[in-house]
Amino acid sequence: MVQFIKMHVVICLIVFLASCCCSINASTVEEQLLQLQDGFDKMREILEEKNSRMEAQLAAQVVRLERVENQNKILMEEIARLNEMRKTRVLNRANGISNQPSTNAINQMPTSCEDLSEIGHTLNGLYSVMGMKSVESVYCDFSNATSDTGYQTWIGHVDVKSSPAYFFVRRNQTFNETRTPIPFDIVQLNVGAAYDKNSGVFTAPVTGKYYFTVSGMAAFPGTYITTRLFFQIGLYKNNEAMAFAMADNVSDYYENESFSFQSTLELIKGDQISVQIYGMSQAASLMTGTYTQFNGFLLEEDITQFL
């Protein structure tokens, strides 16, 4: 009987210890879940804040570029007006007609205050004249003699664009094809419609200097052994590589690695620019959404084509 009571007491102790262990394990799991939830909430807040800041910057850039576009339109109208005036004066001179006998016609776009005076300008002020490859702004003081240093004061270059082009695009789904243009199908901005989201190709609308940036994140799968995985991406002009970026990882865990590169290129009207994956490890891929983006814009147009 005593042995039976002792055995019963031992069994009760075992059951009590087992229940305590289960309670501790359940409590530990709940704490870990709460920690994971808290980390997820913080990460989501950070991403939302970055996205809001990016949208605000993009909106400010759109306003600035629209203002520049309006200024360019005014300048192009002025250039067209001066060209038309020059043609009219040349024709009148050829036909022996002159409405202003005191002025002369010139056979080119005005390149100086002296040229402007030749075609009849007399009011002091800011004028646009033709430089070597771009339009320049000068201040003309026609009250001075042409030999005086204050007759013409150079102000700076004028940003003239006959066809504005600037875009900002992202990718909606993962991509893992090599040596083919990546179609960035989320179009945030595409002024001038030079970027084709279906083909993933940007076509230069005019000859000039362009600036491009590419940034993103590569996803590397987990492996059973520690090994090096890589992801190489490039910017291509007419299918010829112009710049490369690489992301790599040495781990047996799932990892994401970021990459970015920029390039300024001299393009001829019709040149095609695309982003392509040059090479990558098996199962690596390009991440999507706000992680990967491609943007570019026309820096300076070569307007010698209009001369």
Side-chain angles (χ1 to χ4, degrees), residues 151-167:
Y151 181 73
Q152 175 175 309
T153 303
W154 187 81
I155 303 301
H157 293 281
V158 180
D159 187 17
V160 178
K161 296 182 177 68
S162 62
S163 179
Y166 37 94
F167 69 94

PDB file of all heavy atoms in Angstrom, residues 151-167:
ATOM      1  N   TYR A 151      28.796  96.485 -73.954  1.00  0.00           N
ATOM      2  CA  TYR A 151      27.837  96.340 -75.044  1.00  0.00           C
ATOM      3  C   TYR A 151      27.118  94.985 -74.971  1.00  0.00           C
ATOM      4  O   TYR A 151      25.914  94.905 -75.166  1.00  0.00           O
ATOM      5  CB  TYR A 151      28.554  96.489 -76.389  1.00  0.00           C
ATOM      6  CG  TYR A 151      27.631  96.387 -77.597  1.00  0.00           C
ATOM      7  CD1 TYR A 151      26.758  97.417 -77.917  1.00  0.00           C
ATOM      8  CD2 TYR A 151      27.644  95.250 -78.402  1.00  0.00           C
ATOM      9  CE1 TYR A 151      25.909  97.324 -79.008  1.00  0.00           C
ATOM     10  CE2 TYR A 151      26.804  95.146 -79.489  1.00  0.00           C
ATOM     11  CZ  TYR A 151      25.945  96.183 -79.797  1.00  0.00           C
ATOM     12  OH  TYR A 151      25.097  96.098 -80.869  1.00  0.00           O
ATOM     13  N   GLN A 152      27.882  93.932 -74.671  1.00  0.00           N
ATOM     14  CA  GLN A 152      27.292  92.583 -74.549  1.00  0.00           C
ATOM     15  C   GLN A 152      27.847  91.907 -73.308  1.00  0.00           C
ATOM     16  O   GLN A 152      29.056  91.828 -73.119  1.00  0.00           O
ATOM     17  CB  GLN A 152      27.601  91.737 -75.793  1.00  0.00           C
ATOM     18  CG  GLN A 152      27.124  90.286 -75.665  1.00  0.00           C
ATOM     19  CD  GLN A 152      27.326  89.486 -76.941  1.00  0.00           C
ATOM     20  OE1 GLN A 152      26.914  89.917 -78.024  1.00  0.00           O
ATOM     21  NE2 GLN A 152      27.940  88.307 -76.823  1.00  0.00           N
ATOM     22  N   THR A 153      26.937  91.411 -72.450  1.00  0.00           N
ATOM     23  CA  THR A 153      27.316  90.677 -71.241  1.00  0.00           C
ATOM     24  C   THR A 153      26.734  89.267 -71.308  1.00  0.00           C
ATOM     25  O   THR A 153      25.520  89.100 -71.440  1.00  0.00           O
ATOM     26  CB  THR A 153      26.789  91.382 -69.970  1.00  0.00           C
ATOM     27  OG1 THR A 153      27.281  92.723 -69.937  1.00  0.00           O
ATOM     28  CG2 THR A 153      27.241  90.637 -68.719  1.00  0.00           C
ATOM     29  N   TRP A 154      27.630  88.285 -71.248  1.00  0.00           N
ATOM     30  CA  TRP A 154      27.176  86.890 -71.333  1.00  0.00           C
ATOM     31  C   TRP A 154      26.560  86.477 -69.993  1.00  0.00           C
ATOM     32  O   TRP A 154      27.155  86.679 -68.933  1.00  0.00           O
ATOM     33  CB  TRP A 154      28.358  85.977 -71.666  1.00  0.00           C
ATOM     34  CG  TRP A 154      27.970  84.553 -71.934  1.00  0.00           C
ATOM     35  CD1 TRP A 154      27.474  84.033 -73.088  1.00  0.00           C
ATOM     36  CD2 TRP A 154      28.070  83.448 -71.028  1.00  0.00           C
ATOM     37  NE1 TRP A 154      27.247  82.688 -72.977  1.00  0.00           N
ATOM     38  CE2 TRP A 154      27.605  82.290 -71.714  1.00  0.00           C
ATOM     39  CE3 TRP A 154      28.492  83.318 -69.706  1.00  0.00           C
ATOM     40  CZ2 TRP A 154      27.563  81.042 -71.117  1.00  0.00           C
ATOM     41  CZ3 TRP A 154      28.446  82.068 -69.118  1.00  0.00           C
ATOM     42  CH2 TRP A 154      27.984  80.945 -69.820  1.00  0.00           C
ATOM     43  N   ILE A 155      25.359  85.890 -70.032  1.00  0.00           N
ATOM     44  CA  ILE A 155      24.642  85.478 -68.808  1.00  0.00           C
ATOM     45  C   ILE A 155      24.811  83.990 -68.547  1.00  0.00           C
ATOM     46  O   ILE A 155      25.163  83.565 -67.456  1.00  0.00           O
ATOM     47  CB  ILE A 155      23.149  85.839 -68.896  1.00  0.00           C
ATOM     48  CG1 ILE A 155      22.976  87.343 -69.152  1.00  0.00           C
ATOM     49  CG2 ILE A 155      22.431  85.422 -67.613  1.00  0.00           C
ATOM     50  CD1 ILE A 155      23.581  88.231 -68.096  1.00  0.00           C
ATOM     51  N   GLY A 156      24.539  83.147 -69.548  1.00  0.00           N
ATOM     52  CA  GLY A 156      24.648  81.694 -69.369  1.00  0.00           C
ATOM     53  C   GLY A 156      23.960  80.943 -70.486  1.00  0.00           C
ATOM     54  O   GLY A 156      23.484  81.522 -71.468  1.00  0.00           O
ATOM     55  N   HIS A 157      23.892  79.631 -70.310  1.00  0.00           N
ATOM     56  CA  HIS A 157      23.252  78.772 -71.305  1.00  0.00           C
ATOM     57  C   HIS A 157      21.745  78.713 -71.055  1.00  0.00           C
ATOM     58  O   HIS A 157      21.278  78.764 -69.914  1.00  0.00           O
ATOM     59  CB  HIS A 157      23.833  77.357 -71.247  1.00  0.00           C
ATOM     60  CG  HIS A 157      25.270  77.287 -71.676  1.00  0.00           C
ATOM     61  ND1 HIS A 157      25.650  77.282 -72.996  1.00  0.00           N
ATOM     62  CD2 HIS A 157      26.412  77.233 -70.945  1.00  0.00           C
ATOM     63  CE1 HIS A 157      26.965  77.217 -73.083  1.00  0.00           C
ATOM     64  NE2 HIS A 157      27.458  77.187 -71.835  1.00  0.00           N
ATOM     65  N   VAL A 158      20.982  78.566 -72.114  1.00  0.00           N
ATOM     66  CA  VAL A 158      19.526  78.459 -72.037  1.00  0.00           C
ATOM     67  C   VAL A 158      19.133  77.011 -72.305  1.00  0.00           C
ATOM     68  O   VAL A 158      19.581  76.412 -73.284  1.00  0.00           O
ATOM     69  CB  VAL A 158      18.838  79.398 -73.057  1.00  0.00           C
ATOM     70  CG1 VAL A 158      17.321  79.257 -72.963  1.00  0.00           C
ATOM     71  CG2 VAL A 158      19.254  80.841 -72.812  1.00  0.00           C
ATOM     72  N   ASP A 159      18.332  76.465 -71.418  1.00  0.00           N
ATOM     73  CA  ASP A 159      17.916  75.056 -71.535  1.00  0.00           C
ATOM     74  C   ASP A 159      16.736  74.951 -72.504  1.00  0.00           C
ATOM     75  O   ASP A 159      15.580  75.049 -72.113  1.00  0.00           O
ATOM     76  CB  ASP A 159      17.531  74.523 -70.153  1.00  0.00           C
ATOM     77  CG  ASP A 159      17.249  73.028 -70.182  1.00  0.00           C
ATOM     78  OD1 ASP A 159      17.661  72.374 -71.149  1.00  0.00           O
ATOM     79  OD2 ASP A 159      16.600  72.537 -69.239  1.00  0.00           O
ATOM     80  N   VAL A 160      17.050  74.726 -73.778  1.00  0.00           N
ATOM     81  CA  VAL A 160      16.020  74.650 -74.824  1.00  0.00           C
ATOM     82  C   VAL A 160      15.819  73.192 -75.222  1.00  0.00           C
ATOM     83  O   VAL A 160      16.780  72.488 -75.543  1.00  0.00           O
ATOM     84  CB  VAL A 160      16.413  75.487 -76.053  1.00  0.00           C
ATOM     85  CG1 VAL A 160      15.363  75.348 -77.152  1.00  0.00           C
ATOM     86  CG2 VAL A 160      16.584  76.939 -75.661  1.00  0.00           C
ATOM     87  N   LYS A 161      14.583  72.750 -75.197  1.00  0.00           N
ATOM     88  CA  LYS A 161      14.250  71.388 -75.620  1.00  0.00           C
ATOM     89  C   LYS A 161      13.023  71.437 -76.527  1.00  0.00           C
ATOM     90  O   LYS A 161      11.958  71.875 -76.111  1.00  0.00           O
ATOM     91  CB  LYS A 161      13.973  70.499 -74.413  1.00  0.00           C
ATOM     92  CG  LYS A 161      15.170  70.290 -73.492  1.00  0.00           C
ATOM     93  CD  LYS A 161      14.810  69.355 -72.350  1.00  0.00           C
ATOM     94  CE  LYS A 161      16.011  69.086 -71.453  1.00  0.00           C
ATOM     95  NZ  LYS A 161      16.409  70.298 -70.710  1.00  0.00           N
ATOM     96  N   SER A 162      13.194  70.973 -77.755  1.00  0.00           N
ATOM     97  CA  SER A 162      12.062  70.946 -78.677  1.00  0.00           C
ATOM     98  C   SER A 162      11.110  69.805 -78.364  1.00  0.00           C
ATOM     99  O   SER A 162       9.926  69.851 -78.701  1.00  0.00           O
ATOM    100  CB  SER A 162      12.566  70.801 -80.122  1.00  0.00           C
ATOM    101  OG  SER A 162      13.277  69.571 -80.285  1.00  0.00           O
ATOM    102  N   SER A 163      11.637  68.757 -77.712  1.00  0.00           N
ATOM    103  CA  SER A 163      10.798  67.606 -77.355  1.00  0.00           C
ATOM    104  C   SER A 163      11.241  67.097 -75.985  1.00  0.00           C
ATOM    105  O   SER A 163      12.162  66.286 -75.888  1.00  0.00           O
ATOM    106  CB  SER A 163      10.941  66.491 -78.405  1.00  0.00           C
ATOM    107  OG  SER A 163      10.146  65.375 -78.056  1.00  0.00           O
ATOM    108  N   PRO A 164      10.622  67.557 -74.907  1.00  0.00           N
ATOM    109  CA  PRO A 164      11.032  67.123 -73.565  1.00  0.00           C
ATOM    110  C   PRO A 164      10.826  65.630 -73.372  1.00  0.00           C
ATOM    111  O   PRO A 164       9.878  65.045 -73.913  1.00  0.00           O
ATOM    112  CB  PRO A 164      10.124  67.937 -72.637  1.00  0.00           C
ATOM    113  CG  PRO A 164       8.939  68.285 -73.474  1.00  0.00           C
ATOM    114  CD  PRO A 164       9.457  68.457 -74.870  1.00  0.00           C
ATOM    115  N   ALA A 165      11.721  65.021 -72.632  1.00  0.00           N
ATOM    116  CA  ALA A 165      11.620  63.578 -72.379  1.00  0.00           C
ATOM    117  C   ALA A 165      12.136  63.288 -70.983  1.00  0.00           C
ATOM    118  O   ALA A 165      13.312  63.521 -70.689  1.00  0.00           O
ATOM    119  CB  ALA A 165      12.417  62.800 -73.420  1.00  0.00           C
ATOM    120  N   TYR A 166      11.265  62.771 -70.108  1.00  0.00           N
ATOM    121  CA  TYR A 166      11.689  62.299 -68.794  1.00  0.00           C
ATOM    122  C   TYR A 166      10.673  61.261 -68.320  1.00  0.00           C
ATOM    123  O   TYR A 166       9.472  61.392 -68.528  1.00  0.00           O
ATOM    124  CB  TYR A 166      11.846  63.434 -67.781  1.00  0.00           C
ATOM    125  CG  TYR A 166      10.856  64.563 -67.864  1.00  0.00           C
ATOM    126  CD1 TYR A 166       9.704  64.569 -67.089  1.00  0.00           C
ATOM    127  CD2 TYR A 166      11.079  65.641 -68.713  1.00  0.00           C
ATOM    128  CE1 TYR A 166       8.803  65.615 -67.156  1.00  0.00           C
ATOM    129  CE2 TYR A 166      10.186  66.693 -68.790  1.00  0.00           C
ATOM    130  CZ  TYR A 166       9.050  66.677 -68.004  1.00  0.00           C
ATOM    131  OH  TYR A 166       8.154  67.715 -68.085  1.00  0.00           O
ATOM    132  N   PHE A 167      11.199  60.191 -67.711  1.00  0.00           N
ATOM    133  CA  PHE A 167      10.337  59.073 -67.325  1.00  0.00           C
ATOM    134  C   PHE A 167      10.810  58.454 -66.023  1.00  0.00           C
ATOM    135  O   PHE A 167      11.966  58.581 -65.627  1.00  0.00           O
ATOM    136  CB  PHE A 167      10.310  58.007 -68.437  1.00  0.00           C
ATOM    137  CG  PHE A 167      11.612  57.270 -68.604  1.00  0.00           C
ATOM    138  CD1 PHE A 167      11.844  56.062 -67.960  1.00  0.00           C
ATOM    139  CD2 PHE A 167      12.625  57.797 -69.403  1.00  0.00           C
ATOM    140  CE1 PHE A 167      13.041  55.394 -68.112  1.00  0.00           C
ATOM    141  CE2 PHE A 167      13.828  57.133 -69.561  1.00  0.00           C
ATOM    142  CZ  PHE A 167      14.035  55.925 -68.910  1.00  0.00           C
TER     143      PHE A 167
END
